[in-house]
Amino acid sequence: MQLSNNERKQILQTCINNIKHQSNLMKSNLNDNKLLQALKHCSNFLNELRSNNLTPKQYYEIYMLVFDSLGILSSYLIGGSNSKQSNSVFLADLYEIVQYSGNIIPRLYMMINIGTTYMAIEGAPTKDLMKDMIEMCHGVQHPIRGLFLRYYLSQRTKNLLPFDNESDLNDSVEFLISNFIEMNKLWVRLQHQGHSSERELRYKERKELKILVGSNLVRLSQIIDDYTDANEKFSSIDYYKDKVFPVITEQIIQCKDHLAQTYLIDVIIQIFPIEFQITTLKNLLNDVFLNLHPMLRKSELIETLVDKFINCSEESVVEEEEENELFNQFWSFYLNLNELDPTIPIEEHSNLLQSFINLSLSFKNSENFDNLNQIYKHASENLTSTSDSDEEMWFNLLILPINYFRSINTLFKLDNYYDFYQKIQNNKQLQKKISITIIDKLLEIGEPLKDISEIDAIFRYLLVLIKESPSKLDTAKNLGITKTIKINNDEKLITVEFLEIQEKICKIIQLIESDQDDPSKTISNLSYIRKKYLNKSLENIIYTYPTLITKYLYKSKILGYYKPHDTNLLVSNFKNLSIIVDEFYSNHEEFSSSTILKIYLNIANVADQLKLNSISYEIYNQVFVIYEENLKHSKKKGFINPHDSLSGGSIAYESIILIINSLIKTRHLLKNQYEELITKVTLHGSKLLKKQDQCRAVYLCSNLWWWNEILLPNGEKPTTMIEEEKPKEDEKPKMENTNQKEEGESKNEEKENNEEEQDDHKDEEKEKDVDEQEEEEILLYRDGKRVLECLQKSLRIADSCMDPYLSLKLFIEILNKCLISSIYGNDLIDYKYLNGLIDLIKTNIDNLQDQQNEDDEEVENGNDNDEENEIKETVLLKQAIGYFNKTLYYIKEQKELEGRFQNVNIH
Amino acid sequence: MSSRKKTLLKVIILGDSGVGKTSLMQQFVNNKFSHQYKATIGADFLTKEITIDNNKQVTLQIWDTAGQERFQSLGVAFYRGADCCVLCFDVTNEKSLNNLTSWKDEFLVQSNVSNPQDFPFIVIGNKIDVDDSKKIPSLQKKLNNITNNQLGGLNYPVFETSAKDSINVESAFEVIAKMALQQEELNAANSNDVNDDYNDAINIHLDSESGGCGC
């Protein structure tokens, strides 16, 4: 017979109205000192508690009203008589009188109310009253009514239970435990009342009622506290262990009720202090937990218990040396549980193990990994996954400790962690997530990876990321849901996330750092990770090798400074490095030759700095191979403005410039090697596809034939000329100083030379002194005739351009180059040559101006087809004239300030 | 009314789990403090008699409540009839401060008080004994934001206390008692009126039994 919610609400409202009304009547009777009348009304409102039709929450509402109203009666009775003596007699009588009340519910509530009022009076027969009241309560066997009645008993007796001595304490504890046992029975019995179809409803009701049962345990805990506060010598822990724990847990086990067990164990853990839990832990785990309802999820209870230990870890309840013992107690429970029930679901295993991991991680001794290892060992040996969701649970176990890592050592010592990590190898996504979390943590720690064992300890987790294929397409990528980047001529899509991961791997490579004084160890470790890890996916080395090679090269350079005379070691190092770059090239020549070219040039320059001319010569040859194989004909996408010498050009042109830039820095190649290489690059330059590229490449090559001392590295002497002529004397220290000062400038100079900047005024000033004093002391590679040849060649190319405006622009660029050559002391570029070039430019400008004037007339006459073109050409001419005027102004300045170019005609 | 009868004032302490509600009550009523954390199960009260305004004797019935919802399974019927509500937070736990408004709202909804606009609340920030470094950064500013907000703000007296070191606990409860007494007097005046109407309206129900069994 189910009532609707509305019906229940109406019944509740009626109950409330009745209680309020009767309570008011009772109050006014009490004010008039009509006690018997008042008791009658009291009995009336107590009758409402006999209702069958309320939910537990509704019943609790009327219970609270009744509770308050009974409080009024009680305070009347306390003040009811003048002397204590007579009050005591009066209450004893009253206690008897109310027993004649007709219904048991009102009768017992009144008895408890008066009995507890009586107990508060000094000299009352407290223990008899306790015994009597608890006995009488047996009379109510209806679960909800019985629970509330006993709850009332427990609320009213609070602060009245005696604890003057241990015998009192025993009686009070017995009283509370007995109430607890009876309430638990009522509570469990409720589950089996009514039709079986109402099982769910009963369960819900019971869940609401649970705090009534739990409140007894709270009282128990309180009275033990109170007694302990009053008796210093009393050992509450022993008392709990011997007198309380066994009785209440036996009751919990015996009731065999799922809900009761779950809730009450939770309460025991919450309500009794951690010291009590430690003392009874073994029993709780092995005698209680193992005997609970087989379907009960022990993991939840374990979690509560472990959380309690973790929350108290700051209070040092468990000393460092006891931590292992604590863990072992949990662990042996887990093993026992496994033995007892081999069919525990995977999720339960996962939750239990998570709790144990959390417990170990909370320990003060953070360097002790035995416990964690034990957990992961067990997990990898015994757990088998049958589905993806199982693997996700493994993932939870793996991700937990990472945040606690304090050093690489942690990973190193957690050997079994890796075994367990391997268990999810079928689910690469999960493995990836864990590996990324590990990397992030390691990067946060930033500790160097010193030796192979450390490298292995970490890189085994990186393999899954190293091997990840970026080109594998998925739907999200195809539809553009995942952000992607197109590479390799749009043939390949990679995700931003993938790039970020590769970047992280590179950052880990940067962490490889052995003894600072012995770079060869780091170098051999770098080789090791290449062979063992990085080249496991040749597709991905494009992302990691540049970092690897750069780091390797840097270390080789340092090694060269440490051991400048160990040529064999240095050479073999570069040979190994070249194997790495070769591997890189052979796998990625199609789309990454430019990158590889730059890498080779860097290596060649470092080899030159270390005076390993055979190595650098070989590498330059390799550079030309790459150029011819892959770069010579590659084009660059997008528009290139031919008039702008700074906007770059084809890939081939840019490659030539890179080679020139690199060669210009070398100082230790043999003379014939050097000549061969610069001839080669000049030749390649002159064979570029476009006229403007040819022209610029060739005039830039002119620099290679005329070294300038200010480009020399600090304090170093070039050896290229030594082969033929020995230097006459060592450099003077004074000269070295001069060089030092100008080193900073020299870098700028390189760029300006190459890109034909006009304003190198500053350099020139300083250069004058150097020129005069130093020329004889340092042997510089200089061949003025070749310089002139290059400039002549570039003039011819410029002249052969079909576009007169481009020709003009190139002429002026060459003029600037000539000015610099002249300043650098090349006598072959004399004033006659310069005047000739200036005249040539002027003539060209005049011609173009005339032509434009004619064109303008045509436009005015209405022939405006080429209007747009005309405007463009006007602009180009204007720009050229501006550039030319600036150049002339520069010459003028040089004349005035430096006395240069005296015979050059600038008017 | 009997002149001997003392006034009973019902006070409810609310706040997040672990802010120290039980400790405040224990310190005030029993002058005790324990480091051990025990969750409160359900609701429980302690009483204490105090004298306010020099000669007025009152009994404070202070209800300590479970901050954790799972330990409040029977609902909050004990809110009814409260004369004052104490909203507690932990000065080291910002979340507990931010939750004060929802505790207040929940109280007003469930307690069904007749004057929600001017029902007496007070705010207590507990654990001021804790090291400054652990306290909520710029606490005063945040507290002002919450208490001085014109619309729906908690414009109530604020006390910063330490249940551990017994700082400000006594004075806070003194204010609580005064506020509760005012509320109680207001309610008593109102309920007398109400009851007079109600007496006639309900007489018909007087003798009807409401379906209980006779056990």
Side-chain angles (χ1 to χ4, degrees):
Chain A
M1 188 185 66
Q2 282 272 33
L3 289 173
S4 74
N5 276 346
N6 271 340
E7 283 169 319
R8 283 187 201 277
K9 268 184 199 159
Q10 265 175 359
I11 294 171
L12 173 67
Q13 200 48 53
T14 315
C15 287
I16 290 173
N17 291 342
N18 286 344
I19 292 169
K20 282 186 174 165
H21 178 67
Q22 293 294 336
S23 168
N24 280 326
L25 293 176
M26 176 193 79
K27 248 190 266 176
S28 60
N29 281 332
L30 288 176
N31 284 339
D32 301 340
N33 276 326
K34 293 176 185 163
L35 181 58
L36 284 179
Q37 288 275 341
L39 287 179
K40 168 78 183 127
H41 294 297
C42 180
S43 171
N44 283 347
F45 69 66
L46 283 169
N47 260 325
E48 300 297 332
L49 288 176
R50 295 166 61 209
S51 167
N52 266 340
N53 299 319
L54 298 175
T55 67
K57 280 187 177 172
Q58 290 170 329
Y59 196 92
Y60 185 50
E61 271 191 56
I62 61 171
Y63 169 86
M64 282 308 306
L65 281 177
V66 165
F67 182 89
D68 288 342
S69 300
L70 285 173
I72 297 166
L73 174 65
S74 159
S75 48
Y76 171 85
L77 294 175
I78 288 170
S81 181
N82 291 328
S83 74
K84 273 180 192 166
Q85 186 84 50
S86 59
N87 203 0
S88 177
V89 174
F90 164 68
L91 284 171
D93 288 346
L94 202 55
Y95 185 74
E96 292 301 322
I97 289 168
V98 292
Q99 305 209 10
Y100 294 98
S101 180
N103 282 311
I104 188 165
I105 289 286
R107 186 199 313 151
L108 289 181
Y109 272 94
M110 282 197 286
M111 270 179 67
I112 292 171
N113 184 261
I114 294 161
T116 50
T117 312
Y118 190 11
M119 275 170 78
I121 290 172
E122 217 177 300
T126 305
K127 289 188 183 176
D128 292 340
L129 285 165
M130 280 160 60
K131 206 173 262 176
D132 193 51
M133 290 188 293
I134 201 130
E135 277 301 313
M136 293 298 218
C137 284
H138 281 291
V140 180
Q141 287 298 319
H142 181 277
I144 296 186
R145 292 199 287 265
L147 281 168
F148 276 96
L149 177 72
R150 286 181 177 273
Y151 182 59
Y152 186 65
L153 176 65
S154 131
Q155 274 199 304
R156 289 290 301 184
T157 49
K158 183 183 60 174
N159 297 337
L160 296 175
L161 297 177
F163 57 91
D164 290 338
N165 48 54
E166 202 161 334
S167 145
D168 280 359
L169 177 70
N170 285 336
D171 288 343
S172 295
V173 165
E174 200 187 313
F175 174 82
L176 288 170
I177 289 179
S178 145
N179 201 37
F180 162 72
I181 291 175
E182 290 307 318
M183 282 176 89
N184 191 38
K185 283 180 182 164
L186 291 169
W187 187 42
V188 171
R189 196 184 317 132
L190 176 59
Q191 186 65 61
H192 309 288
Q193 298 225 325
H195 196 265
S196 63
S197 65
E198 292 174 358
R199 211 206 239 132
E200 281 299 307
L201 182 66
R202 292 288 100 79
Y203 189 77
K204 186 176 160 268
E205 288 175 349
R206 289 188 60 219
K207 270 182 111 168
E208 292 175 350
L209 291 163
K210 65 186 181 181
I211 63 158
L212 303 180
V213 189
S215 69
N216 287 294
L217 299 176
V218 179
R219 297 266 178 276
L220 262 177
S221 171
Q222 280 165 348
I223 199 161
I224 295 173
D225 273 0
D226 289 344
Y227 188 73
T228 313
D229 288 344
N231 299 274
E232 279 175 21
K233 285 179 188 163
F234 178 69
S235 165
S236 56
I237 295 182
D238 288 344
Y239 189 83
Y240 172 75
K241 190 183 172 212
D242 298 335
K243 300 266 175 65
V244 179
F245 177 83
V247 192
I248 55 177
T249 51
E250 198 204 332
Q251 175 60 28
I252 292 169
I253 295 167
Q254 290 307 322
C255 78
K256 294 188 166 57
D257 180 85
H258 191 282
L259 177 62
Q261 292 184 336
T262 314
Y263 172 69
L264 293 171
I265 302 266
D266 185 16
V267 171
I268 288 180
I269 295 167
Q270 298 280 350
I271 226 63
F272 291 104
I274 187 76
E275 291 84 354
F276 290 20
Q277 310 295 344
I278 295 171
T279 316
T280 55
L281 183 64
K282 220 173 193 163
N283 300 327
L284 185 66
L285 292 171
N286 294 309
D287 301 339
V288 181
F289 282 13
L290 288 181
N291 290 313
L292 296 178
H293 195 286
M295 297 299 285
L296 192 143
R297 294 168 61 97
K298 277 95 186 167
S299 63
E300 282 172 18
L301 299 176
I302 290 287
E303 193 190 336
T304 315
L305 191 56
V306 164
D307 283 351
K308 178 129 184 165
F309 277 98
I310 293 172
N311 289 334
C312 295
S313 62
E314 271 181 29
E315 293 162 28
S316 294
V317 191
V318 181
E319 294 302 324
E320 206 171 309
E321 50 274 11
E322 296 163 355
E323 286 174 340
N324 275 342
E325 174 55 23
L326 178 65
F327 176 83
N328 287 336
Q329 292 201 12
F330 278 101
W331 191 248
S332 64
F333 155 74
Y334 177 64
L335 296 181
N336 288 339
L337 184 68
N338 275 321
E339 209 170 292
L340 208 69
D341 180 7
T343 63
I344 304 170
I346 293 282
E347 198 186 345
E348 186 74 355
H349 277 293
S350 170
N351 290 340
L352 284 165
L353 292 176
Q354 277 189 50
S355 288
F356 301 148
I357 291 170
N358 279 326
L359 180 70
S360 322
L361 291 170
S362 77
F363 286 163
K364 285 181 211 70
N365 183 359
S366 56
E367 288 305 303
N368 179 0
F369 300 106
D370 295 348
N371 298 328
L372 286 176
N373 259 330
Q374 201 169 344
I375 295 170
Y376 290 116
K377 184 168 189 280
H378 177 90
S380 52
E381 285 169 3
N382 295 294
L383 302 184
T384 45
S385 69
T386 49
S387 70
D388 282 359
S389 62
D390 290 350
E391 276 163 4
E392 261 159 52
M393 280 182 253
W394 300 162
F395 171 78
N396 290 336
L397 295 180
L398 285 163
I399 206 89
L400 267 178
I402 297 176
N403 217 11
Y404 289 81
F405 289 171
R406 280 183 190 84
S407 85
I408 292 162
N409 269 336
T410 316
L411 271 178
F412 197 41
K413 289 180 181 166
L414 269 180
D415 249 346
N416 296 313
Y417 182 83
Y418 181 71
D419 296 339
F420 192 51
Y421 169 85
Q422 283 299 78
K423 286 206 84 163
I424 57 167
Q425 60 182 323
N426 293 328
N427 195 331
K428 294 289 179 224
Q429 283 306 313
L430 292 182
Q431 270 204 332
K432 259 178 66 187
K433 269 196 215 165
I434 290 167
S435 293
I436 292 169
T437 316
I438 292 177
I439 291 197
D440 286 342
K441 189 68 195 177
L442 290 174
L443 291 175
E444 187 193 313
I445 299 171
E447 213 179 324
L449 304 179
K450 290 190 284 295
D451 50 42
I452 295 218
S453 54
E454 288 182 348
I455 288 171
D456 280 337
I458 283 160
F459 271 78
R460 55 185 174 171
Y461 297 103
L462 265 56
L463 258 183
V464 65
L465 303 175
I466 290 168
K467 286 182 181 170
E468 192 194 1
S469 171
S471 48
K472 217 173 86 190
L473 284 174
D474 56 39
T475 328
K477 264 196 213 169
N478 284 337
L479 295 174
I481 296 166
T482 318
K483 224 181 177 182
T484 51
I485 299 165
K486 285 180 181 174
I487 57 165
N488 297 356
N489 286 342
D490 300 351
E491 282 174 15
K492 204 161 144 182
L493 287 175
I494 52 170
T495 62
V496 177
E497 186 215 350
F498 172 79
L499 276 184
E500 281 169 357
I501 291 170
Q502 296 301 316
E503 184 195 354
K504 283 175 182 174
I505 297 174
C506 290
K507 284 180 176 167
I508 295 283
I509 295 175
Q510 294 288 8
L511 289 179
I512 295 176
E513 196 74 58
S514 304
D515 189 356
Q516 290 283 356
D517 295 333
D518 186 7
S520 57
K521 208 175 161 204
T522 307
I523 290 173
S524 86
N525 286 345
L526 289 168
S527 300
Y528 177 78
I529 60 156
R530 176 187 78 94
K531 271 183 264 173
K532 187 139 183 229
Y533 300 101
L534 297 182
N535 69 4
K536 292 289 176 261
S537 161
L538 291 170
E539 189 182 4
N540 289 348
I541 59 174
I542 176 78
Y543 306 104
T544 51
Y545 269 29
T547 304
L548 178 79
I549 292 165
T550 307
K551 176 122 186 159
Y552 192 113
L553 182 60
Y554 172 70
K555 286 290 162 188
S556 302
K557 188 171 169 180
I558 307 273
L559 183 67
Y561 292 147
Y562 274 105
K563 301 182 174 171
H565 305 298
D566 196 344
T567 315
N568 284 343
L569 175 71
L570 298 180
V571 166
S572 85
N573 234 339
F574 274 94
K575 286 192 172 160
N576 288 334
L577 179 56
S578 139
I579 293 171
I580 302 179
V581 192
D582 279 348
E583 181 181 47
F584 190 14
Y585 180 60
S586 58
N587 285 288
H588 291 278
E589 57 178 309
E590 193 180 352
F591 297 107
S592 306
S593 283
S594 278
T595 311
I596 296 163
L597 183 88
K598 285 176 202 159
I599 289 173
Y600 267 127
L601 291 172
N602 278 338
I603 298 173
N605 280 114
V606 173
D608 182 67
Q609 284 160 20
L610 297 177
K611 303 192 171 78
L612 304 170
N613 58 37
S614 63
I615 295 284
S616 53
Y617 176 70
E618 271 316 310
I619 291 171
Y620 278 117
N621 278 319
Q622 182 63 25
V623 163
F624 285 114
V625 171
I626 296 177
Y627 176 75
E628 289 189 47
E629 276 183 348
N630 285 301
L631 299 168
K632 206 172 170 178
H633 302 297
S634 14
K635 278 187 230 157
K636 193 177 178 177
K637 278 205 287 183
F639 172 73
I640 297 163
N641 179 4
H643 294 272
D644 186 354
S645 61
L646 297 176
S647 76
S650 63
I651 300 222
Y653 171 72
E654 284 177 357
S655 305
I656 292 294
I657 303 292
L658 286 171
I659 298 171
I660 296 172
N661 276 341
S662 171
L663 276 171
I664 211 161
K665 284 182 272 186
T666 64
R667 288 299 180 266
H668 302 291
L669 286 162
L670 297 178
K671 193 182 171 195
N672 61 337
Q673 291 173 333
Y674 181 69
E675 279 183 334
E676 185 193 325
L677 293 171
I678 61 175
T679 309
K680 220 175 200 173
V681 71
T682 313
L683 216 60
H684 278 302
S686 70
K687 285 179 186 162
L688 286 164
L689 269 181
K690 298 206 165 132
K691 293 274 177 182
Q692 68 271 20
D693 287 350
Q694 288 174 13
C695 171
R696 286 175 179 135
V698 172
Y699 75 59
L700 287 173
C701 281
S702 72
N703 288 329
L704 295 170
W705 306 90
W706 191 271
W707 288 7
N708 191 333
E709 53 285 306
I710 62 169
L711 297 183
L712 291 182
N714 180 24
E716 227 176 81
K717 285 179 290 180
T719 55
T720 298
M721 297 297 285
I722 289 176
E723 195 192 6
E724 287 170 353
E725 298 172 58
K726 283 185 180 172
K728 287 168 194 164
E729 55 181 282
D730 283 336
E731 283 171 273
K732 288 175 193 168
K734 198 184 161 194
M735 294 306 146
E736 285 174 14
N737 287 343
T738 321
N739 281 343
Q740 250 170 12
K741 256 192 246 165
E742 285 165 355
E743 225 237 325
E745 236 81 38
S746 70
K747 277 181 190 156
N748 293 337
E749 179 77 359
E750 282 167 32
K751 280 185 208 155
E752 284 167 8
N753 274 346
N754 292 326
E755 291 170 356
E756 194 61 21
E757 284 287 311
Q758 303 133 35
D759 188 19
D760 33 13
H761 177 73
K762 267 189 197 166
D763 297 316
E764 218 168 308
E765 266 185 338
K766 290 170 188 163
E767 201 186 319
K768 206 179 156 195
D769 317 330
V770 183
D771 261 345
E772 284 169 9
Q773 300 166 5
E774 227 176 307
E775 203 150 355
E776 285 178 310
E777 285 150 7
I778 299 174
L779 284 166
L780 297 169
Y781 182 86
R782 286 183 169 177
D783 189 338
K785 228 182 100 198
R786 292 294 191 141
V787 176
L788 188 63
E789 275 172 26
C790 284
L791 293 171
Q792 280 294 103
K793 170 87 179 161
S794 60
L795 262 179
R796 275 200 303 279
I797 300 168
D799 195 37
S800 68
C801 274
M802 296 298 283
D803 175 354
Y805 296 94
L806 184 56
S807 279
L808 175 62
K809 177 77 196 315
L810 292 171
F811 286 154
I812 309 171
E813 286 176 24
I814 294 165
L815 171 63
N816 276 278
K817 190 84 239 168
C818 289
L819 292 174
I820 285 161
S821 279
S822 166
I823 290 170
Y824 283 179
N826 187 349
D827 295 337
L828 292 176
I829 316 291
D830 58 6
Y831 72 95
K832 286 180 204 154
Y833 189 84
L834 292 172
N835 280 339
L837 193 48
I838 291 171
D839 281 344
L840 175 71
I841 293 168
K842 279 182 178 165
T843 316
N844 269 286
I845 291 176
D846 288 345
N847 287 344
L848 288 172
Q849 267 173 336
D850 289 347
Q851 198 187 324
Q852 281 197 355
N853 288 337
E854 284 169 30
D855 291 347
D856 285 348
E857 281 163 29
E858 274 179 46
V859 173
E860 276 165 31
N861 294 338
N863 185 357
D864 57 0
N865 274 359
D866 293 332
E867 194 174 0
E868 208 174 299
N869 240 359
E870 296 300 322
I871 291 170
K872 214 162 98 190
E873 285 173 0
T874 315
V875 171
L876 282 174
L877 183 59
K878 223 186 228 167
Q879 282 172 347
I881 293 170
Y883 181 26
F884 181 54
N885 286 337
K886 261 194 229 162
T887 312
L888 293 181
Y889 181 74
Y890 172 70
I891 296 171
K892 185 175 164 245
E893 253 186 348
Q894 288 289 306
K895 279 186 177 192
E896 289 163 4
L897 297 170
E898 306 287 338
R900 286 175 178 144
F901 309 129
Q902 290 307 332
N903 295 318
V904 175
N905 185 9
I906 54 170
H907 297 293
Chain B
M1 272 214 179
S2 156
S3 57
R4 282 168 302 180
K5 194 177 162 276
K6 287 170 200 129
T7 311
L8 182 76
L9 302 175
K10 185 170 178 180
V11 176
I12 312 281
I13 308 182
L14 300 178
D16 281 6
S17 163
V19 300
K21 299 179 289 296
T22 308
S23 294
L24 278 167
M25 186 179 75
Q26 283 292 346
Q27 179 59 259
F28 176 63
V29 177
N30 295 324
N31 299 106
K32 283 206 307 195
F33 178 81
S34 165
H35 280 280
Q36 296 165 347
Y37 172 72
K38 293 179 179 178
T40 303
I41 310 272
D44 204 356
F45 69 87
L46 288 178
T47 55
K48 180 164 175 157
E49 291 182 10
I50 60 167
T51 312
I52 48 172
D53 298 338
N54 292 328
N55 56 4
K56 182 85 182 164
Q57 282 259 325
V58 296
T59 305
L60 282 180
Q61 186 186 71
I62 305 162
W63 283 78
D64 176 28
T65 62
Q68 299 179 56
E69 213 176 336
R70 64 180 172 135
F71 292 134
Q72 206 61 276
S73 60
L74 262 184
V76 288
F78 53 87
Y79 286 1
R80 298 271 167 98
D83 297 306
C84 179
C85 177
V86 183
L87 302 169
C88 281
F89 72 98
D90 170 354
V91 294
T92 67
N93 176 350
E94 190 159 353
K95 202 171 155 240
S96 72
L97 173 66
N98 295 331
N99 279 342
L100 289 184
T101 314
S102 39
W103 280 112
K104 176 199 157 185
D105 293 345
E106 143 106 3
F107 175 81
L108 288 177
V109 169
Q110 301 288 343
S111 65
N112 222 354
V113 296
S114 55
N115 56 335
Q117 289 305 316
D118 48 9
F119 183 84
F121 284 94
I122 96 159
V123 175
I124 288 187
N126 192 33
K127 303 194 190 177
I128 56 164
D129 53 279
V130 176
D131 193 73
D132 279 349
S133 62
K134 291 186 179 170
K135 288 184 185 159
I136 305 170
S138 47
L139 170 64
Q140 285 312 323
K141 212 179 128 199
K142 287 170 186 162
L143 192 58
N144 279 341
N145 280 344
I146 290 175
T147 53
N148 287 343
N149 187 342
Q150 285 304 310
L151 286 167
L154 307 174
N155 304 293
Y156 307 120
V158 177
F159 282 85
E160 295 195 12
T161 64
S162 162
K164 179 171 167 251
D165 297 342
S166 183
I167 299 169
N168 261 342
V169 178
E170 201 81 23
S171 39
F173 275 98
E174 199 175 307
V175 171
I176 292 166
K178 285 180 188 172
M179 290 167 68
L181 184 62
Q182 278 184 2
Q183 173 72 9
E184 201 273 343
E185 283 166 354
L186 184 82
N187 276 347
N190 287 343
S191 71
N192 282 340
D193 303 342
V194 174
N195 280 331
D196 287 341
D197 304 340
Y198 191 9
N199 270 344
D200 306 326
I202 204 146
N203 270 342
I204 30 170
H205 294 294
L206 251 181
D207 295 315
S208 66
E209 287 280 73
S210 42
C213 79
C215 67

